Amino acid sequence: MKRAVLIIFAMTAVLLTGCRVICPASPEQPDPENLYRNDNSIDMFVYQETAYVNAKDTDWVAEQKFIKGDMAGKIKNSGATKEFQDWDATILPVGTEIFETDNSEILLASCGEELVPYLKYVEG
């Protein structure tokens, strides 16, 4: 669990400062395959060719209230480990509904009664 929190913290730092500042010589792109290769317990899904990572334990995300918007789609494949396509997830089950929010960097996964925030992971 600590490792997941550290990874999410690092991703947040990348989002806030840009990858060029933190890892100027890094040959790996922040694509889903590399994220999974670096942490095979990562909870993420792919939407519009971009990885979204579970951020419910990220302080600044947990402190905010997000307005649930339109449904963006549903998870089509669970347990993905390579060659990620849109709506592939590593952990979320098939059929999980994903919703837009008022923040373009956050999507919400409907997990039972809970809406879990997922943070867009992009290169800076």
Side-chain angles (χ1 to χ4, degrees), residues 26-94:
S26 176
E28 291 189 0
Q29 297 298 314
D31 60 34
E33 288 79 9
N34 285 329
L35 290 174
Y36 183 80
R37 188 177 311 115
N38 290 328
D39 178 9
N40 62 9
S41 67
I42 193 167
D43 180 1
M44 71 175 178
F45 67 87
V46 178
Y47 171 60
Q48 295 182 341
E49 300 179 7
T50 303
Y52 284 79
V53 179
N54 186 321
K56 75 177 184 178
D57 293 328
T58 303
D59 289 340
W60 72 266
V61 174
E63 292 169 0
Q64 296 187 38
K65 299 289 184 203
F66 299 101
I67 297 171
K68 178 180 159 184
D70 295 333
M71 187 169 73
K74 294 181 182 182
I75 299 301
K76 294 180 181 175
N77 180 33
S78 184
T81 61
K82 59 184 177 180
E83 298 179 18
F84 289 88
Q85 302 294 317
D86 281 351
W87 303 117
D88 284 353
T90 56
I91 295 176
L92 288 172
V94 170

Side-chain angles (χ1 to χ4, degrees), residues 15-34:
L15 286 172
L16 295 175
T17 61
C19 187
R20 290 181 190 95
V21 174
I22 293 175
C23 50
S26 176
E28 291 189 0
Q29 297 298 314
D31 60 34
E33 288 79 9
N34 285 329

